[in-house]
């Protein structure tokens, strides 16, 4: 849906690719949408070892409304303010 795509782009732009990768890299709840669809990485020509973990590629992303992502983003903003 177009509204969801816009929301994803806005949140990704706000936090940046590096932050989206860092948060996903630490997240215990991360599940890539490719894996969740049951197609498997090899069928879609994606290596499970080399794909980038990014929040927007997670089943829990929900258009940027993921509670884990939002909480971690808030923590990072607070730490940035304090420095």
């Amino acid at each position: 849906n177009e509204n969801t795509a816009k929301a994803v782009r806005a949140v990704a732009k706000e936090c940046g690719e590096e932050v989206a990768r860092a948060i996903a890299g630490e997240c215990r709840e991360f599940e890539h949408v490719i894996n969740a669809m049951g197609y498997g990485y090899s069928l879609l020509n994606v290596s499970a070892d080399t794909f980038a973990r990014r929040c927007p590629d997670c089943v829990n992303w929900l258009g940027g409304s993921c509670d884990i992502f939002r909480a971690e983003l808030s923590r990072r903003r607070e730490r940035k303010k304090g420095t």
Side-chain angles (χ1 to χ4, degrees), residues 25-77:
E26 298 171 4
C27 183
R28 293 182 185 194
E29 299 297 323
F30 181 87
E31 183 177 3
H32 201 285
V33 293
I34 291 172
N35 191 42
M37 289 186 299
Y39 296 130
Y41 297 103
S42 61
L43 182 62
L44 295 174
N45 201 25
V46 176
S47 168
D49 298 327
T50 59
F51 80 94
R53 285 175 62 130
R54 301 173 334 119
C55 291
D57 297 331
C58 178
V59 296
N60 300 307
W61 177 242
L62 305 173
S65 63
C66 171
D67 292 336
I68 298 166
F69 172 79
R70 288 291 188 186
E72 183 60 27
L73 191 58
S74 292
R75 276 193 283 279
R76 288 169 185 256
R77 285 181 183 143

